[in-house]
Amino acid sequence: MGGMGTIHDDNGTSIYEQNHTMTLNLLKATNVPDTTDTHFFYASSACVYPEALQTDCDVSLREADVFSEGIPQPQSLYGLEKLNSELLLAQYTSKINIRISRFHNIFGPGGSWNNGREKAPAAFLRKALACRHLIGESQPVPDFEIWGDGCQRRSFLFIDDAVDAIIKLLPSTHSTPINIGSDNTVSIQELAELALRCAGARANFIYDNSKPVGVSARNSTNDVSRSALDWAPSTSLWEGMEKTCAWIQVEMDTYLAHHEKRAEQLTFAILLPITSRGSTEPGACLSHLRNFVQSLKDTTWRDTHPSADQVFRYVIYLAVDADDHFLCGGNRAYQTILDLGIPSIQVHQLLNSTHPKGHVCNIWRDCAPQAYDNGCDYLVLMGDDVTLKDEGWMRKSHSAFLNFSKSSNLPLGLGCVAFTDESFPGMPTFPIIHRTHMEVFEGQVIPDTFTNQDGDPYLFQLYRRWGTSTMFPCRLTNAIGGPGEARYEKKRTVDWSLAPLAHAERMVSAYLQTHHNYSSSQVRDVRKLTLDVIIPCYRVDVAVLSAVLSLEAPSTTSVNYIIIIDSPTSPQIPTILSQFSLNPNIRIRINKSNLGAPYSRNRGLSESSADWVHFLDDDVVPSPNLLFAVSDAIRANPSAAGFVCSTQFPPANIIFTTAVHLSGVTYFWDIATKIKTDVPWGVTANLVARRVLFSPHLEQESNPEFCGIPLPTKFSLSYPKTGGGEDIDYCLTQRATHLELFRSANDHNCGEQYPGFLAAPQGIVTHPWWDNGKRSYWRFHRWSVGDGHLIKAYPDLSYRDYAPNSAECFLICFIFLSIGVVIGSLRVMMLSVEITGCVVLANILHDVYRHMILHPERTKPLNVTRRIRRNIFLWVSAVMESALIRMFSELGRLRGLLEKREWKSVGKRFDWFVGRAPENGPRAEERRNSVERIGLMVVVFAILRGLRG
């Protein structure tokens, strides 16, 4: 319910969605059988009538007029929703007794009168009573504001008459919409004069044409209500206004009695840099400034009203470049603000004479101390080309800070509130901070390292660590800047989320201990664990992403999501943006072209500012407790380099998926269930890595000042963008870097006890079979191309094999075949083909021997359906196909070596267990298998030769 201050176009979408959802929920809640014993009353509105009919002064609206203009054209989305709900209810008339009233401006005692939702009669009576109260105090005749020119006409129905009509409508047989309203119109000007007479007051009328006014005229025709209900209004407008005025007078007296001691006034400092540079014409900046100041007035008018529960005021700190001759000449910017009605006492002008143009963060740093010294309670880091859109942002941001303090057990003021920036969805721009922040940082609002970018997210992410940052639902738009071009050269602050953020966090911790007597353990308790989930996204599957983004997390952990879309032409991108981009916990970035998973993960790392990052693939299905399991693992083992979680596959129910398991391709996907400590590596489908080495909640007793050494580990781009090898390389680099920093930070040798990557087997995701299990070997071949590069990159983790593998045998056969072609020897060519066939056959036979005779127990843990296991034909077929997959993978590794011209690496193998398995383990077995396969190949060749005789 609300007047034109609530029901207008800016609120249309949300009002439509909320109202229609409520109606649908009520219909579902009835849950009645097919009976006509149930009555369902629906309160509709005169806003359903076409706007085109409501332009003449003498308009009277009949129930049938809704469709008189052809396609209905109700007033605003509010009216459209009411009409659609009427049509929806019409579908239920055979099951429920539907009664629908179209109300025309109901007023009277008990209604809204001072909260922004009041209609014109109550609003005018409140203003009239306030005028009577003000006469003789501040001015002889106070002002009385009317929205519009006062010529718009309405009819108003007293609440008692409305109730009488409802009581008659319910037992009637009238099931179609019916007008319930007065059929006597009055102009808004006349209504205002009537309100003053009721209150016994005088006033000067002022008119604000910038406010919403609705249609020109509206009146009810009551022919149907008279004939169907024998009803007509019995209370005159004068009588209804008198009764309502008396009631509001009592309400106001009660209110004032409880607020004799006016609430303390809170001051918001608007830090406002302005420049004329970069605009198409110098005067454009003043146009932006006028828009901003007008929006500032429009969105704070209630908060700055003396009758508000908590009174707020704002002061503008206008910062102009000293050499901006256009603005400085005649103090144009300053004068523009005064011309818009802002008192000079609320405007402070500062000249920027020390910083280069466009150094917005430097200017904020100049303004903030002055605002703090002047006693301002809140600081708003603003821009001159911003338009504020939602009324009440001052009281709502203050309420957010109060809630922060209550929910986090932290002192009031430790926090950051950011506007919802419609021009840069999801980015916490233009933050609001408390003067406490200035106390913590000794008068500096943001560090010197920031020039004109990243100061906003820095503040937001700092207080995210304490659970006291939010993007509240008060909107703004930014005319220039955001993700696009700005009027100045954007200068990013490199690695601000590492050392600068860690230093700031340490200062907050020190402030709590020195100024509020927090112990180190108390600081750790109130500090949240921060985790960023990074998802390189090529498939752009909305359903899969929705499942991940809806995961619940512990209240002690702050989780953000960073989605890097690597398919910029995907048709699903608009859907993703519309569903998730406004969520401050979800950041969506789009690569300009398909750059691959390693690049996308690196971009995600550069966007991250958390203690830990959690890499997920864009096709996994997470278990509901995934983030709980990860958080538990981190808190139980805070010194680990990272955690390898468990990635499962659905049961293999066909030959190919069974063969994938048997080939060893999926062995390391669930390595967390096989190795608990110092896990060799894990796949990035479900991998957690430390981003910063230690934070205040992980301090060492021996070194309490130590805090936050960054781990600069990134994915190497030397591996194929389709994947392969980069996950192993990342884990090894992360472990080595962390070990080195861990040792230097703790100043002792921790090599033997160093945990490296630990297993987190409870953190489970399910990875679907690629292409739903469709047979293809090329995926594994491409991965192996990247794996081959590991041999040269990690020579200490590589070893020389005793015999060539299948790929190297194929290479030898190809060389002999080429020689045969060159010399024209058919015998050499045929011999090469025969040996190739023997290599294939020998590898298949050897894998059948390994899986079915030598080590059948190794296949028992594989997630394979009973149908496959019990059918000997299917099982043998899967074993044979697994040999083909393995040979394709070996060909991929050889291809990778040859393409990079790493000739010396041919014949070498990479140790997948990276030296952590016994020497007589996987290395020895791999060498033995190679020798056995070569031997078997010779035997097969000899047998075939013997058979040929």
XYZ file of all heavy atoms in Angstrom, residues 287-369:
669
model
N 26.357 19.888 -15.412
C 25.090 19.177 -15.601
C 25.065 17.912 -14.758
O 24.068 17.600 -14.094
C 24.897 18.842 -17.082
O 23.726 18.077 -17.276
N 26.213 17.173 -14.764
C 26.316 15.984 -13.903
C 26.180 16.374 -12.436
O 25.515 15.685 -11.649
C 27.659 15.289 -14.127
C 27.790 14.615 -15.451
N 26.863 13.714 -15.915
C 28.749 14.695 -16.411
C 27.234 13.261 -17.110
N 28.376 13.850 -17.425
N 26.797 17.476 -12.067
C 26.760 17.917 -10.675
C 25.332 18.268 -10.259
O 24.890 17.924 -9.158
C 27.684 19.108 -10.485
C 27.750 19.693 -9.065
C 28.258 18.655 -8.073
C 28.626 20.940 -9.043
N 24.610 18.954 -11.138
C 23.227 19.312 -10.817
C 22.388 18.045 -10.620
O 21.570 17.972 -9.685
C 22.631 20.189 -11.924
C 22.994 21.674 -11.791
C 22.214 22.516 -12.778
N 22.662 22.311 -14.150
C 23.617 23.011 -14.743
N 24.209 23.986 -14.080
N 23.963 22.757 -15.982
N 22.594 17.061 -11.499
C 21.854 15.799 -11.358
C 22.160 15.137 -10.021
O 21.268 14.619 -9.340
C 22.199 14.837 -12.499
C 21.624 15.282 -13.819
O 20.644 16.035 -13.859
N 22.224 14.836 -14.906
N 23.448 15.147 -9.656
C 23.824 14.508 -8.398
C 23.200 15.228 -7.208
O 22.610 14.600 -6.318
C 25.335 14.470 -8.234
C 25.761 14.084 -6.843
C 25.629 12.782 -6.411
C 26.252 15.044 -5.959
C 25.982 12.424 -5.120
C 26.610 14.702 -4.668
C 26.477 13.380 -4.246
N 23.334 16.543 -7.172
C 22.832 17.295 -6.020
C 21.312 17.159 -5.918
O 20.759 17.001 -4.817
C 23.256 18.771 -6.111
C 22.608 19.581 -4.993
C 24.772 18.892 -6.038
N 20.624 17.193 -7.053
C 19.178 17.037 -7.011
C 18.810 15.651 -6.495
O 17.881 15.491 -5.688
C 18.568 17.266 -8.400
C 17.040 17.285 -8.402
C 16.478 18.382 -7.513
O 16.819 19.548 -7.653
N 15.607 18.000 -6.574
N 19.531 14.638 -6.957
C 19.256 13.271 -6.466
C 19.602 13.153 -4.985
O 18.950 12.405 -4.250
C 20.041 12.242 -7.289
O 21.434 12.271 -6.989
N 20.615 13.880 -4.546
C 20.964 13.886 -3.118
C 19.816 14.458 -2.297
O 19.447 13.913 -1.246
C 22.244 14.689 -2.904
C 22.746 14.848 -1.469
C 23.114 13.502 -0.868
C 23.947 15.793 -1.422
N 19.254 15.550 -2.758
C 18.124 16.145 -2.049
C 16.904 15.219 -2.061
O 16.247 15.027 -1.026
C 17.764 17.487 -2.694
C 18.812 18.576 -2.546
C 18.424 19.829 -3.316
C 17.115 20.418 -2.841
N 16.751 21.636 -3.612
N 16.624 14.628 -3.236
C 15.439 13.775 -3.362
C 15.521 12.535 -2.484
O 14.497 12.049 -1.997
C 15.249 13.356 -4.820
C 14.853 14.520 -5.717
O 14.415 15.562 -5.173
O 14.984 14.400 -6.944
N 16.706 12.014 -2.306
C 16.847 10.747 -1.584
C 17.130 10.930 -0.099
O 17.277 9.942 0.625
C 17.969 9.892 -2.202
O 19.194 10.651 -2.192
C 17.625 9.492 -3.627
N 17.213 12.182 0.360
C 17.471 12.419 1.782
C 16.407 13.287 2.436
O 16.534 13.630 3.607
C 18.845 13.096 1.975
O 18.858 14.353 1.275
C 19.968 12.227 1.459
N 15.357 13.630 1.684
C 14.400 14.604 2.199
C 13.711 14.116 3.473
O 13.431 14.897 4.384
C 13.361 14.957 1.127
C 12.476 13.812 0.720
C 12.722 12.875 -0.228
C 11.193 13.497 1.254
N 11.691 11.983 -0.330
C 10.725 12.342 0.576
C 10.366 14.061 2.240
C 9.483 11.744 0.842
C 9.143 13.471 2.509
C 8.715 12.321 1.813
N 13.438 12.813 3.569
C 12.794 12.319 4.777
C 13.791 12.209 5.922
O 13.492 12.536 7.082
C 12.127 10.967 4.512
C 11.291 10.479 5.697
C 10.650 9.127 5.393
N 9.840 9.187 4.185
C 8.619 9.689 4.131
N 8.062 10.191 5.230
N 7.938 9.697 3.002
N 15.006 11.733 5.623
C 16.008 11.561 6.674
C 16.420 12.888 7.303
O 16.829 12.932 8.464
C 17.256 10.876 6.103
C 17.012 9.402 5.815
O 16.050 8.858 6.383
O 17.786 8.808 5.045
N 16.337 13.962 6.547
C 16.740 15.270 7.085
C 15.558 16.059 7.644
O 15.721 17.203 8.058
C 17.421 16.100 5.986
O 16.537 16.209 4.847
C 18.712 15.433 5.529
N 14.382 15.432 7.652
C 13.195 16.117 8.163
C 13.224 16.132 9.685
O 13.528 15.121 10.317
C 11.916 15.426 7.664
C 10.687 16.234 7.841
N 10.006 16.295 9.024
C 10.009 17.038 6.976
C 8.956 17.085 8.893
N 8.933 17.549 7.649
N 12.899 17.231 10.312
C 13.002 17.324 11.783
C 12.148 16.318 12.539
O 12.438 15.996 13.677
C 12.538 18.759 12.078
C 12.760 19.505 10.802
C 12.532 18.517 9.699
N 11.068 15.802 11.914
C 10.187 14.890 12.639
C 10.637 13.445 12.561
O 9.990 12.564 13.103
C 8.756 14.997 12.088
O 8.718 14.556 10.735
N 11.741 13.178 11.879
C 12.211 11.800 11.750
C 12.711 11.273 13.087
O 13.125 12.020 13.967
C 13.327 11.733 10.711
N 12.657 9.933 13.245
C 13.139 9.316 14.481
C 14.603 9.658 14.719
O 15.019 9.970 15.826
C 12.972 7.797 14.405
C 11.508 7.393 14.489
O 10.706 8.203 14.957
O 11.189 6.264 14.092
N 15.375 9.524 13.697
C 16.810 9.830 13.771
C 17.103 10.892 12.720
O 16.865 10.683 11.538
C 17.644 8.577 13.486
C 19.142 8.813 13.438
C 19.713 9.138 14.799
O 19.705 8.315 15.689
N 20.211 10.344 14.969
N 17.574 12.028 13.156
C 17.781 13.143 12.233
C 19.189 13.060 11.646
O 20.168 12.881 12.366
C 17.581 14.494 12.938
C 17.799 15.643 11.975
C 16.178 14.555 13.542
N 19.265 13.199 10.332
C 20.536 13.173 9.628
C 20.745 14.503 8.904
O 19.793 15.231 8.612
C 20.568 12.032 8.603
C 20.357 10.664 9.183
C 19.088 10.116 9.271
C 21.435 9.915 9.651
C 18.888 8.854 9.805
C 21.242 8.646 10.188
C 19.968 8.124 10.268
N 21.968 14.791 8.627
C 22.295 15.933 7.775
C 23.505 15.516 6.938
O 24.175 14.525 7.234
C 22.619 17.187 8.599
C 23.880 17.080 9.413
C 24.034 18.269 10.356
N 24.338 19.497 9.656
C 25.590 19.938 9.441
N 26.641 19.243 9.871
N 25.806 21.070 8.824
N 23.740 16.258 5.875
C 24.909 15.978 5.045
C 25.678 17.264 4.804
O 25.132 18.369 4.827
C 24.524 15.322 3.715
C 23.545 16.102 2.878
C 23.956 17.181 2.096
C 22.199 15.748 2.859
C 23.065 17.888 1.334
C 21.283 16.468 2.099
C 21.717 17.525 1.339
O 20.828 18.235 0.577
N 26.975 17.087 4.616
C 27.866 18.186 4.264
C 28.661 17.741 3.044
O 29.210 16.636 3.027
C 28.817 18.540 5.423
C 29.780 19.640 4.999
C 28.034 18.953 6.657
N 28.700 18.601 2.042
C 29.416 18.276 0.801
C 30.830 18.846 0.877
O 31.010 20.048 1.097
C 28.670 18.833 -0.421
C 27.270 18.223 -0.522
C 29.460 18.564 -1.698
C 26.414 18.836 -1.613
N 31.813 17.977 0.702
C 33.211 18.412 0.621
C 33.592 18.373 -0.856
O 33.923 17.328 -1.406
C 34.107 17.505 1.477
C 33.915 17.761 2.953
C 32.857 17.161 3.634
C 34.751 18.615 3.650
C 32.640 17.407 4.985
C 34.550 18.867 5.004
C 33.497 18.264 5.659
O 33.308 18.520 6.995
N 33.517 19.535 -1.482
C 33.701 19.679 -2.924
C 35.184 19.897 -3.211
O 35.779 20.881 -2.773
C 32.876 20.853 -3.429
C 32.911 21.127 -4.928
C 32.183 20.020 -5.686
C 32.253 22.483 -5.212
N 35.778 18.972 -3.945
C 37.210 19.057 -4.260
C 37.389 19.366 -5.745
O 36.952 18.597 -6.607
C 37.913 17.756 -3.904
N 38.033 20.487 -6.049
C 38.233 20.948 -7.428
C 39.729 21.115 -7.674
O 40.457 21.638 -6.806
C 37.501 22.288 -7.663
C 37.662 22.736 -9.111
C 36.032 22.168 -7.298
N 40.184 20.688 -8.843
C 41.595 20.900 -9.203
C 41.876 22.397 -9.293
O 41.117 23.156 -9.909
C 41.908 20.244 -10.549
C 41.855 18.719 -10.475
O 42.132 18.183 -9.386
O 41.548 18.084 -11.498
N 42.964 22.805 -8.693
C 43.303 24.238 -8.652
C 43.499 24.812 -10.045
O 43.251 26.004 -10.273
C 44.554 24.450 -7.801
N 43.951 23.987 -10.996
C 44.184 24.495 -12.356
C 43.004 24.209 -13.286
O 43.140 24.299 -14.509
C 45.467 23.889 -12.923
C 45.416 22.370 -12.986
O 44.466 21.781 -12.414
O 46.322 21.774 -13.599
N 41.859 23.846 -12.732
C 40.651 23.672 -13.536
C 40.013 25.051 -13.688
O 39.170 25.473 -12.881
C 39.687 22.696 -12.844
C 38.567 22.245 -13.765
O 38.115 23.069 -14.581
O 38.161 21.068 -13.676
N 40.445 25.759 -14.718
C 40.059 27.173 -14.860
C 38.560 27.351 -15.085
O 37.993 28.367 -14.679
C 40.855 27.809 -16.007
C 42.341 27.716 -15.808
N 42.986 28.314 -14.748
C 43.305 27.060 -16.536
C 44.289 28.055 -14.831
N 44.505 27.296 -15.894
N 37.933 26.380 -15.708
C 36.490 26.506 -15.955
C 35.729 26.488 -14.640
O 34.858 27.339 -14.392
C 36.006 25.373 -16.857
C 34.510 25.367 -17.036
C 33.901 26.243 -17.912
C 33.705 24.486 -16.302
C 32.516 26.249 -18.050
C 32.340 24.483 -16.447
C 31.743 25.373 -17.332
N 36.033 25.528 -13.760
C 35.297 25.406 -12.509
C 35.713 26.455 -11.482
O 34.888 26.957 -10.719
C 35.481 24.006 -11.915
C 34.809 22.860 -12.681
C 35.113 21.522 -12.029
C 33.289 23.064 -12.748
N 36.999 26.756 -11.464
C 37.473 27.720 -10.466
C 37.053 29.147 -10.800
O 36.894 29.978 -9.906
C 38.993 27.642 -10.330
S 39.553 26.104 -9.567
N 36.905 29.409 -12.064
C 36.488 30.761 -12.461
C 35.065 31.028 -12.007
O 34.120 30.435 -12.513
N 34.908 31.872 -11.053
C 33.582 32.178 -10.527
C 33.031 31.108 -9.608
O 31.837 31.107 -9.292
N 33.909 30.190 -9.193
C 33.461 29.112 -8.295
C 32.199 28.431 -8.827
O 31.192 28.279 -8.129
C 33.204 29.631 -6.878
C 34.484 29.909 -6.124
O 35.539 29.356 -6.457
N 34.412 30.760 -5.113
N 32.258 28.028 -10.102
C 31.051 27.526 -10.764
C 30.435 26.321 -10.050
O 29.215 26.233 -9.879
C 31.372 27.162 -12.215
C 31.522 28.358 -13.145
C 31.605 27.887 -14.594
N 31.575 29.000 -15.519
C 32.666 29.624 -15.992
N 33.866 29.232 -15.572
N 32.562 30.627 -16.835
N 31.266 25.357 -9.675
C 30.728 24.161 -9.034
C 30.085 24.509 -7.697
O 28.973 24.070 -7.375
C 31.835 23.124 -8.847
N 30.788 25.302 -6.916
C 30.283 25.717 -5.603
C 28.967 26.470 -5.747
O 27.995 26.208 -5.026
C 31.343 26.581 -4.922
C 30.968 27.086 -3.548
C 31.069 26.256 -2.437
C 30.529 28.398 -3.374
C 30.731 26.733 -1.170
C 30.195 28.878 -2.116
C 30.295 28.044 -1.017
O 29.968 28.499 0.232
N 28.921 27.377 -6.712
C 27.723 28.183 -6.903
C 26.569 27.332 -7.408
O 25.407 27.565 -7.046
C 28.005 29.325 -7.891
C 26.886 30.363 -7.968
C 26.626 31.011 -6.611
O 27.540 31.446 -5.922
N 25.347 31.057 -6.211
N 26.868 26.325 -8.232
C 25.817 25.432 -8.737
C 25.117 24.726 -7.582
O 23.889 24.593 -7.569
C 26.421 24.398 -9.703
O 26.943 25.076 -10.852
C 25.376 23.390 -10.150
N 25.892 24.290 -6.615
C 25.309 23.601 -5.464
C 24.442 24.560 -4.658
O 23.328 24.212 -4.243
C 26.426 23.000 -4.588
C 27.197 21.929 -5.371
C 25.854 22.407 -3.303
C 28.378 21.357 -4.628
N 24.907 25.782 -4.460
C 24.119 26.766 -3.707
C 22.836 27.115 -4.443
O 21.778 27.289 -3.809
C 24.948 28.026 -3.459
C 26.233 27.876 -2.644
C 26.843 29.242 -2.373
C 25.976 27.140 -1.338
N 22.914 27.197 -5.778
C 21.736 27.539 -6.571
C 20.632 26.486 -6.438
O 19.457 26.778 -6.665
C 22.108 27.699 -8.041
C 22.950 28.953 -8.283
O 22.978 29.825 -7.391
O 23.584 29.037 -9.345
N 21.029 25.260 -6.108
C 20.054 24.184 -5.962
C 19.480 24.118 -4.549
O 18.792 23.147 -4.193
C 20.696 22.842 -6.332
C 20.980 22.671 -7.824
C 21.867 21.467 -8.080
C 19.671 22.542 -8.607
N 19.776 25.106 -3.750
C 19.143 25.201 -2.447
C 19.897 24.585 -1.300
O 19.344 24.458 -0.198
N 21.159 24.219 -1.516
C 21.960 23.673 -0.419
C 22.567 24.844 0.337
O 23.267 25.681 -0.261
C 23.073 22.740 -0.942
C 22.482 21.654 -1.837
C 23.841 22.129 0.221
C 21.540 20.715 -1.147
N 22.335 24.961 1.647
C 22.906 26.082 2.402
C 24.431 26.078 2.348
O 25.064 25.023 2.310
C 22.404 25.828 3.835
C 21.222 24.931 3.680
C 21.500 24.089 2.476
N 25.007 27.251 2.328
C 26.467 27.350 2.216
C 27.179 26.696 3.385
O 28.311 26.220 3.257
C 26.884 28.832 2.124
O 26.446 29.546 3.288
N 26.496 26.629 4.544
C 27.132 26.003 5.706
C 27.333 24.507 5.491
O 28.114 23.860 6.192
C 26.284 26.264 6.975
C 27.089 25.945 8.233
C 24.992 25.433 6.939
C 26.376 26.327 9.518
N 26.627 23.936 4.508
C 26.727 22.510 4.227
C 27.644 22.217 3.039
O 27.646 21.096 2.529
C 25.344 21.916 3.948
C 24.445 21.863 5.164
C 23.084 21.261 4.864
O 22.066 21.811 5.233
N 23.075 20.138 4.186
N 28.409 23.188 2.586
C 29.311 22.981 1.442
C 30.695 23.510 1.795
O 30.838 24.676 2.188
C 28.783 23.690 0.171
C 29.676 23.350 -1.013
C 27.331 23.308 -0.110
N 31.697 22.652 1.695
C 33.089 23.056 1.896
C 33.836 22.807 0.587
O 33.785 21.709 0.041
C 33.740 22.244 3.020
C 33.115 22.466 4.363
N 33.522 23.457 5.225
C 32.093 21.838 4.987
C 32.799 23.415 6.319
N 31.916 22.431 6.199
N 34.522 23.824 0.104
C 35.275 23.661 -1.140
C 36.761 23.559 -0.836
O 37.322 24.340 -0.072
C 35.016 24.823 -2.084
C 35.786 24.698 -3.404
C 35.272 25.646 -4.467
O 34.200 25.458 -5.000
N 36.065 26.678 -4.760
N 37.404 22.532 -1.445
C 38.836 22.333 -1.306
C 39.461 22.413 -2.691
O 38.898 21.917 -3.669
C 39.160 20.967 -0.691
C 38.706 20.683 0.739
C 37.257 20.222 0.772
C 39.599 19.612 1.343
N 40.632 23.026 -2.772
C 41.353 23.099 -4.038
C 42.476 22.069 -4.024
O 43.285 22.034 -3.096
C 41.918 24.496 -4.258
C 40.892 25.606 -4.503
C 41.606 26.930 -4.728
C 40.000 25.266 -5.694
N 42.464 21.228 -5.043
C 43.522 20.232 -5.176
C 44.683 20.851 -5.924
O 44.644 21.026 -7.138
C 43.003 19.001 -5.923
C 44.132 18.084 -6.353
O 45.132 17.968 -5.653
N 43.968 17.440 -7.501
N 45.748 21.196 -5.212
C 46.902 21.847 -5.846
C 48.153 20.984 -5.780
O 49.191 21.367 -6.300
C 47.177 23.193 -5.158
O 47.422 22.996 -3.774
N 48.024 19.795 -5.156
C 49.224 18.974 -4.949
C 49.199 17.678 -5.734
O 50.251 17.066 -5.947
C 49.384 18.643 -3.452
O 48.195 17.969 -2.995
C 49.581 19.913 -2.640
N 48.042 17.215 -6.171
C 47.952 15.933 -6.858
C 47.628 16.138 -8.331
O 46.920 17.086 -8.695
C 46.866 15.056 -6.236
C 46.964 14.957 -4.748
N 48.063 14.428 -4.111
C 46.099 15.335 -3.770
C 47.862 14.478 -2.804
N 46.689 15.032 -2.570
N 48.115 15.264 -9.194
C 47.747 15.347 -10.607
C 46.248 15.152 -10.789
O 45.571 14.560 -9.934
C 48.535 14.190 -11.248
C 49.637 13.891 -10.278
C 49.102 14.198 -8.928
N 45.728 15.652 -11.875
C 44.311 15.490 -12.164
C 43.956 14.009 -12.283
O 44.731 13.200 -12.786
C 43.970 16.190 -13.482
C 44.121 17.703 -13.439
C 43.798 18.292 -14.797
C 43.965 19.805 -14.791
N 43.694 20.387 -16.121
N 42.779 13.707 -11.848
C 42.319 12.331 -11.961
C 42.743 11.432 -10.832
O 42.384 10.260 -10.814
N 43.530 11.954 -9.862
C 43.945 11.137 -8.721
C 42.843 11.189 -7.655
O 42.993 11.835 -6.611
C 45.280 11.617 -8.182
C 46.433 11.217 -9.054
N 47.702 11.010 -8.558
C 46.508 10.955 -10.385
C 48.509 10.651 -9.559
N 47.811 10.624 -10.663
N 41.753 10.498 -7.948
C 40.561 10.576 -7.106
C 40.861 10.107 -5.691
O 40.403 10.709 -4.713
C 39.425 9.743 -7.729
C 38.201 9.751 -6.823
C 39.076 10.282 -9.108
N 41.606 9.015 -5.556
C 41.892 8.491 -4.218
C 42.701 9.494 -3.393
O 42.507 9.615 -2.172
C 42.639 7.158 -4.319
S 41.655 5.832 -5.060
N 43.621 10.206 -4.046
C 44.370 11.242 -3.333
C 43.445 12.350 -2.838
O 43.613 12.882 -1.730
C 45.438 11.837 -4.249
C 46.644 10.929 -4.406
O 47.012 10.249 -3.456
N 47.242 10.913 -5.579
N 42.474 12.709 -3.666
C 41.542 13.769 -3.272
C 40.673 13.300 -2.111
O 40.392 14.055 -1.178
C 40.707 14.200 -4.486
C 41.632 14.777 -5.577
C 39.643 15.206 -4.084
C 40.923 15.102 -6.868
N 40.214 12.050 -2.177
C 39.471 11.503 -1.035
C 40.318 11.575 0.233
O 39.805 11.899 1.308
C 39.091 10.052 -1.309
C 37.914 9.880 -2.231
C 36.966 10.807 -2.531
C 37.576 8.696 -2.951
N 36.047 10.279 -3.407
C 36.389 8.982 -3.686
C 38.127 7.433 -3.071
C 35.767 8.041 -4.493
C 37.519 6.489 -3.867
C 36.354 6.784 -4.585
N 41.610 11.279 0.079
C 42.489 11.323 1.252
C 42.626 12.741 1.809
O 42.869 12.921 3.000
C 43.862 10.744 0.903
C 43.915 9.221 0.917
C 45.344 8.715 0.832
N 45.909 8.935 -0.489
C 45.804 8.076 -1.497
N 45.171 6.928 -1.328
N 46.337 8.328 -2.674
N 42.499 13.744 0.965
C 42.552 15.132 1.435
C 41.255 15.543 2.133
O 41.273 16.250 3.145
C 42.806 16.088 0.261
C 44.235 15.986 -0.274
O 45.077 15.402 0.427
O 44.481 16.476 -1.384
N 40.123 15.099 1.569
C 38.829 15.519 2.108
C 38.517 14.826 3.433
O 37.933 15.441 4.350
C 37.713 15.202 1.110
S 37.792 16.136 -0.439
N 38.873 13.542 3.524
C 38.448 12.744 4.676
C 38.912 13.317 6.015
O 38.106 13.401 6.952
C 38.923 11.290 4.496
N 40.184 13.719 6.160
C 40.591 14.253 7.470
C 39.812 15.505 7.863
O 39.523 15.711 9.051
C 42.078 14.556 7.267
C 42.513 13.681 6.147
C 41.329 13.606 5.237
